[in-house]
Amino acid sequence: GQQVMQIPQYQHVQEGEDFTTYCNSSTTLSNIQWYKQRPGGHPVFLIQLVKSGEVKKQKRLTFQFGEAKKNSSLHITATQTTDVGTYFCAARPPFYGGATNKLIFGTGTLLAVQP
Amino acid sequence: NAGVTQTPKFRVLKTGQSMTLLCAQDMNHEYMYWYRQDPGMGLRLIHYSVGEGTTAKGEVPDGYNVSRLKKQNFLLGLESAAPSQTSVYFCASSAGTSGVGAKNIQYFGAGTRLSVL
């Protein structure tokens, strides 16, 4: 079935370093969402990207949607210990469109930040 | 505003036992979902519902049943628990119709940690 690959699985950085996680699909996506899950917590919505080539920023976080709408990235500038957690992309392929509103979640990237 | 509430938070079962996980949302959302989360495998959709009285299979439905008798509640049942069902279970809801607006966002409960021995 449809898969969304996310890399890396794990990243360990020193506080202040940058971090990037990538999400890739073999098929064109209708839109993509990003969620953050703190250790022991539940996924929390961060942002949704819809348009080809779209770039959105939230403070130190920059989200991009590829021109072909098959990939996306999340970049964190100058990481802080509060950034620790697992970051998931969640894709909505066109053929899932309509009333179901189903998402396919990537496997996630666990970010560890050393003070 | 509680959002999405899951009960219980933790549970230990013996193989073959049955149980029901309850999910309740107070946001008047149409759509509700059950996921399981296992290390290295992200979130996998078990079953979902697009409205009161409806249910549909997701990616990994075997061994689970669901019911949505009331709009605000979505129940996940395990009729005969197996060790392979040891996992963290998340319920989510969304307002969502088709399209890409805020209705598309999924809101998650705190999760149920289930161990099957």
Side-chain angles (χ1 to χ4, degrees), chain A residues 31 33 35 37 42 48 99 101, chain B residues 31 37 94 100 104 106 109:
Chain A
N31 60 65
Q33 299 178 357
Y35 290 77
Q37 183 178 20
H42 59 279
Q48 178 169 252
N101 198 19
Chain B
Y31 302 88
Q37 184 174 35
S94 67
V100 294
N104 207 22
Q106 293 195 9

Side-chain angles (χ1 to χ4, degrees), chain A residues 44-86:
Chain A
V44 175
F45 174 80
L46 293 176
I47 207 158
Q48 178 169 252
L49 304 171
V50 177
K51 300 176 183 177
S52 169
E54 188 171 14
V55 178
K56 288 188 176 181
K57 292 188 176 183
Q58 288 180 350
K59 296 183 180 179
R60 294 177 295 104
L61 278 61
T62 301
F63 304 84
Q64 288 189 305
F65 201 8
E67 293 289 342
K69 300 184 75 173
K70 290 184 177 182
N71 56 72
S72 182
S73 65
L74 158 59
H75 179 82
I76 302 178
T77 303
T79 54
Q80 300 176 359
T81 54
T82 53
D83 296 325
V84 164
T86 301

Side-chain angles (χ1 to χ4, degrees), chain A residues 9-47:
Chain A
Q9 279 195 319
Y10 173 77
Q11 183 90 52
H12 179 225
V13 301
Q14 296 283 335
E15 189 172 21
E17 292 182 337
D18 292 356
F19 159 77
T20 305
T21 175
Y22 301 90
C23 189
N24 298 292
S25 169
S26 57
T27 60
T28 303
L29 304 172
S30 175
N31 60 65
I32 197 159
Q33 299 178 357
W34 285 91
Y35 290 77
K36 177 183 178 181
Q37 183 178 20
R38 295 183 185 276
H42 59 279
V44 175
F45 174 80
L46 293 176
I47 207 158

Side-chain angles (χ1 to χ4, degrees), chain A residues 98-102, chain B residues 3-4 23-34 47-56 67-75 91-98 102-107:
Chain A
T100 61
N101 198 19
K102 291 192 296 183
Chain B
V4 179
C23 177
Q25 53 96 3
D26 61 3
M27 296 175 282
N28 200 35
H29 283 172
E30 287 293 332
Y31 302 88
M32 297 187 75
Y33 316 83
W34 275 107
H47 286 281
Y48 64 99
S49 168
V50 300
E52 180 179 315
T54 75
T55 63
S67 64
R68 184 124 180 247
L69 300 179
K70 294 183 178 181
K71 185 177 183 179
Q72 64 268 33
N73 296 336
F74 196 28
L75 278 63
C91 175
S93 71
S94 67
T97 56
S98 60
K103 293 181 178 181
N104 207 22
I105 298 169
Q106 293 195 9
Y107 296 86

Side-chain angles (χ1 to χ4, degrees), chain A residues 88-109:
Chain A
F88 292 98
C89 61
R92 186 163 175 259
F95 55 82
Y96 279 149
T100 61
N101 198 19
K102 291 192 296 183
L103 295 176
I104 299 174
F105 280 81
T107 50
T109 296

